[in-house]
Amino acid sequence: MEYHWIIAAIFAVSGIACFAGAYRGSRLQNPDASLGLRVLLVVVGLWASLQAIQMSAPLFFTSTELMEQFSIVFFTTGLVVGFATVWAWLWFASAYTGRAFHRDPRFHLAAGAVYLSLTLIKITNPLHGQYFTAELATEPYVRLVIEQQPFYWFSFALAYGLTAVGLYMLLVMFYRSDHSTWTLSGLVLITGGSIIPKIISGYRPDLIPELSYEPVGVAIFALGALYVVEDTFLSLEASAKEKFVQETDEAIITIGTDGWIQDYNSRAEDFIAGLGTTITTVSDLKDKIPIGEINNGARVIQYDHPEGSRYYLVVDREIKVGPHQIGRALLLQDVTVSKQRQQELSRHNEQLEDMTGAIAHELRNTIAIMQGYLHNATDQLEEGNVDSARDSTTVAIETADRMEGVIDELHSLTKYAKSIDEFTEVDIKQVATEANQATKENISLQCNDLGMILADRGRLQYLLENVFRFAAYNKADTVTISMRDDGFTISDNGTHTSSEYGELLFEYEGSAPTSDAGLLLPNVKTIARVHGWEIGVDTDYTAGVRYHITNADVQVDAFGRASLSTQD
C-alpha cells in the first residue's frame, strides 16, 4: 500500500517541521508561554519521528521477528514520549492564557507522579501485558497490530481529558477576546480533531495504521501559530495586557525589560505629554518621573501639569511570570486633592499656632501695660497726686481701647485666614488704590507695570491695607508695588529697614521692629499663605522695608503686554 509510506512521510515531515519551529522559537513576550511552546514542539517532533521510524521497519529488517521487536520498542517509546506532550501542552496553555497552574508545585508533583507511574507501567508491559498486546501483520501491508488493554484506555482517557482542559483554556480566551480569532480557533479544533484518524484506525486498521495521530494535530497548531497566523497569535497575548491597561481606572505605564515603553492608557497620556512620541524609553520617562528613586516601591511626586501643579502617588512594581521578570508597571494615582487637603490642614495648624501666639503676645503686652498704669494710678491716689493718677488712668483706658482694636484685628484675620473657595482675576493697581484710601494714611502709591493676578479680592485688599498701615507706622511716605513674573514686590522708604530685622518682621511674636508694629506684617504673611503664595524679605534693601510675594499666577498686564519686568 503506497499510502502507508505517505503516512510515514507525513510523520517524518511533521517531526522535522517541529524541530525547525523549536529552533526558530516564538516572539511571545511571556517567557513561560514561549518555553512551553518550544518544549511542546521538541516533544511532538520526537514523538512524530519515533512513529515515522516505527513505520519504516520494513526498510531496516527482512526478518519478521526482528521487525516486530523493533516496532514494539519504538511503539512503547512513542507512548512514553507522547504522554509528555500532555504536560508541555498544559504548561503552554496555562502560561499563554495568563493562568498560573503551570507554576503551582502541587501540579508539578501530581504530574510527575502520574507520568512516572504510567511510564513504569508502559516499559514493564512485556511482564504484565496490561497496557497492550501486539503482533506483526504483513497483509495488506506490514504493520503492528495493537490490542489495547485496561491501562491503555485509562492512559488514553486521562491524556485526552487533560488535553481538553488546555483546549478549553485557549478557546475561552479566544471567545473573550476582542480580536478576530477564527484562525486560531480553527488550529485548536484541528488539534482536537486528530482523534478522528485514531478512531478510524481502531475500526479499519487495514486502511489506517494503528498509531497516535496527535503529533500531526499538535504540529499543525504549533507551526500554524508560528508561521501562518503569528501576528494574531502575538496580538492575542498582547490584547489581554492591553485590555487590563486600558480598563485600569488610574494612569498606568508598562515598561519592557529592554527599557522601552510598551503600553499605556489614555489617563497616562493626559498625565505625561509626549508619551509614546517624544517619550518612548525609561530614560525619557526619568526626566518626568523620578522612577529611579522609587526602586520597586511607592512615593508621592509633584508634577507640573499644563493645567497646574498636580500630585501623584507613583507605584513602581516588577511584572513577573513565575520567577521571570518581563517588565515593570508604573501606576500613577492622582492624589492632588488629598495632598492639597493635607497641605491646607498643615497650613491651618501652623496659622492656628501663630495666631495663638499672637493673641497671647498682644494680650500679655496690653494687660501688662494696663496693670502697670493702674497700679501707678493707685499709688498716686494714695499719695494724693490726683493729676498723676488721672494721667495713668487715661493711658490705661487708651491701652484698653487699643486692646479692642487688636481683638477686631484678630477677628478680621480669623475670617480671612480661611481657605479660598474661588480665585478670580484681580487688578492689583485698582485694589491697592482702594486699600490705600481705606486706611486713610497719608501714603503715596507708586505702581510699576502692574497687571492682573489670580487672587481673592477681599483678602488681597486686606493684605494691602496692612501694607499701608505698616508703612505709616514705619514713617514712610511712599509705597511702591512692582510686578514680577511670579508675583509682586512691595517696598517702602520708611525708617526701619529689611536689612535690620529680616524675617522677624513677619513673625507674630517677633516684636519687630517694635511691639507697636503689632500684627501688620505677620498678617501680610498669613494672607499671602492663604493664597498659596510665598513671602520673602529682601535683606539687602537699606532704604526701608522690601519684600517679595512669589508663587502667584500672574496674568498679562492691564495694557496687554505679554512680558512683565521686575522693578528693583
Side-chain angles (χ1 to χ4, degrees):
M1 295 182 65
E2 295 297 332
Y3 64 82
H4 166 262
W5 295 109
I6 294 176
I7 294 175
I10 290 174
F11 278 113
V13 170
S14 297
I16 294 171
C18 284
F19 290 139
Y23 177 79
R24 173 187 181 272
S26 72
R27 292 189 288 118
L28 291 173
Q29 294 182 4
N30 185 331
D32 281 357
S34 180
L35 174 64
L37 183 59
R38 177 165 284 182
V39 172
L40 178 64
L41 286 169
V42 170
V43 176
V44 171
L46 181 59
W47 190 12
S49 300
L50 289 169
Q51 296 200 135
I53 294 173
Q54 177 193 334
M55 294 184 68
S56 303
L59 296 176
F60 305 114
F61 304 99
T62 57
S63 168
T64 302
E65 183 179 352
L66 290 176
M67 275 193 285
E68 180 176 326
Q69 292 176 0
F70 178 84
S71 298
I72 290 174
V73 169
F74 274 85
F75 178 75
T76 304
T77 306
L79 290 175
V80 173
V81 173
F83 198 71
T85 62
V86 174
W87 310 114
W89 169 256
L90 285 175
W91 177 288
F92 161 74
S94 173
Y96 180 70
T97 57
R99 293 173 170 82
F101 299 125
H102 62 291
R103 282 290 170 187
D104 193 325
R106 294 171 299 178
F107 287 97
H108 294 175
L109 291 173
V114 171
Y115 182 75
L116 291 175
S117 298
L118 289 176
T119 297
L120 183 62
I121 292 173
K122 291 171 185 177
I123 62 178
T124 58
N125 183 69
L127 299 177
H128 54 74
Q130 295 300 305
Y131 200 91
F132 69 88
T133 58
E135 60 179 350
L136 193 70
T138 57
E139 295 296 336
Y141 59 90
V142 178
R143 70 188 190 281
L144 196 64
V145 178
I146 304 297
E147 184 175 347
Q148 293 85 2
Q149 299 301 319
F151 280 123
Y152 174 89
W153 292 113
F154 171 78
S155 176
F156 177 83
L158 181 61
Y160 268 87
L162 294 174
T163 301
V165 171
L167 292 173
Y168 173 78
M169 287 190 287
L170 291 172
L171 291 174
V172 167
M173 180 182 182
F174 298 163
Y175 176 77
R176 293 176 178 174
S177 172
D178 296 330
H179 292 248
S180 174
T181 58
W182 67 270
T183 50
L184 280 173
S185 300
L187 288 175
V188 171
L189 293 176
I190 289 174
T191 302
S194 60
I195 193 175
I196 296 176
K198 176 78 173 178
I199 295 173
I200 295 175
S201 68
Y203 287 98
R204 294 294 303 274
D206 56 322
L207 293 178
I208 301 178
E210 292 179 283
L211 297 171
S212 297
Y213 293 87
E214 294 86 347
V216 178
V218 176
I220 291 174
F221 169 80
L223 297 175
L226 283 178
Y227 295 101
V228 181
V229 291
E230 184 178 28
D231 289 340
T232 304
F233 193 54
L234 295 173
S235 65
L236 193 62
E237 179 198 35
S239 70
K241 182 169 62 177
E242 258 178 38
K243 191 171 184 180
F244 165 74
V245 169
Q246 293 302 328
E247 291 181 356
T248 302
D249 291 335
E250 302 298 339
I252 187 171
I253 303 169
T254 61
I255 302 168
T257 53
D258 56 1
W260 285 83
I261 294 173
Q262 294 180 335
D263 294 298
Y264 50 87
N265 56 12
S266 58
R267 287 159 292 285
E269 287 184 284
D270 294 338
F271 171 52
I272 301 178
L275 193 61
T277 54
T278 58
I279 299 176
T280 57
T281 67
V282 68
S283 297
D284 301 332
L285 200 58
K286 283 181 179 179
D287 295 336
K288 295 290 184 180
I289 306 174
I291 55 177
E293 303 172 12
I294 300 176
N295 296 326
N296 204 32
R299 62 174 291 182
V300 175
I301 66 167
Q302 183 177 359
Y303 180 72
D304 294 328
H305 192 274
E307 297 180 0
S309 183
R310 310 289 294 175
Y311 291 90
Y312 280 80
L313 173 65
V314 181
V315 179
D316 179 16
R317 286 287 183 269
E318 293 180 347
I319 304 175
K320 287 187 174 182
V321 177
H324 305 289
Q325 180 184 351
I326 63 173
R328 298 168 66 185
L330 296 178
L331 182 67
L332 301 100
Q333 184 178 8
D334 192 337
V335 293
T336 303
V337 175
S338 298
K339 187 69 175 180
Q340 288 174 340
R341 288 176 179 172
Q342 180 183 2
Q343 291 175 336
E344 188 69 11
L345 180 60
S346 177
R347 184 184 65 81
H348 274 302
N349 289 337
E350 289 181 14
Q351 286 184 347
L352 182 60
E353 291 178 3
D354 290 344
M355 292 171 63
T356 301
I359 293 171
H361 176 73
E362 291 294 325
L363 292 181
R364 277 198 303 265
N365 286 346
T366 306
I367 292 173
I369 293 171
M370 290 175 60
Q371 286 177 336
Y373 279 102
L374 289 175
H375 284 307
N376 183 65
T378 302
D379 293 340
Q380 294 299 321
L381 286 174
E382 289 178 353
E383 294 176 4
N385 297 325
V386 177
D387 291 338
S388 297
R390 183 182 296 110
D391 291 340
S392 295
T393 304
T394 300
V395 174
I397 293 173
E398 291 174 352
T399 304
D401 292 339
R402 180 175 176 273
M403 180 184 290
E404 184 178 0
V406 170
I407 293 173
D408 290 340
E409 187 70 24
L410 291 172
H411 176 73
S412 298
L413 180 62
T414 303
K415 179 179 69 173
Y416 287 124
K418 296 178 181 178
S419 301
I420 300 175
D421 295 328
E422 183 178 0
F423 288 80
T424 58
E425 290 187 0
V426 179
D427 186 329
I428 296 182
K429 182 176 181 179
Q430 181 181 352
V431 176
T433 301
E434 294 176 2
N436 191 18
Q437 292 171 351
T439 58
K440 299 178 181 179
E441 303 288 354
N442 188 24
I443 301 294
S444 174
L445 171 63
Q446 181 178 341
C447 299
N448 295 332
D449 287 345
L450 294 191
M452 309 297 287
I453 189 170
L454 286 180
D456 176 83
R457 184 183 179 87
R459 288 174 172 82
L460 181 57
Q461 180 168 335
Y462 178 71
L463 181 153
L464 293 171
E465 287 176 5
N466 280 270
V467 168
F468 289 110
R469 290 193 182 102
F470 177 81
Y473 158 78
N474 202 25
K475 297 180 181 180
D477 55 31
T478 302
V479 167
T480 303
I481 303 179
S482 305
M483 186 67 85
R484 298 166 51 96
D485 291 337
D486 60 348
F488 53 96
T489 295
I490 299 172
S491 57
D492 67 37
N493 59 349
T495 303
H496 302 288
T497 67
S498 302
S499 60
E500 290 181 86
Y501 300 99
E503 296 293 339
L504 286 175
L505 292 167
F506 295 92
E507 300 299 327
Y508 278 112
E509 297 182 74
S511 297
T514 68
S515 60
D516 292 337
L519 308 175
L520 298 175
L521 287 186
N523 287 354
V524 171
K525 178 181 179 180
T526 296
I527 301 306
R529 292 186 61 193
V530 170
H531 284 84
W533 304 337
E534 299 295 332
I535 190 165
V537 182
D538 186 351
T539 55
D540 294 330
Y541 189 66
T542 59
V545 173
R546 171 182 283 179
Y547 42 96
H548 307 292
I549 293 179
T550 58
N551 199 36
D553 192 351
V554 177
Q555 306 298 311
V556 177
D557 73 312
F559 299 98
R561 287 172 291 193
S563 62
L564 301 173
S565 60
T566 302
Q567 301 294 319
D568 293 325

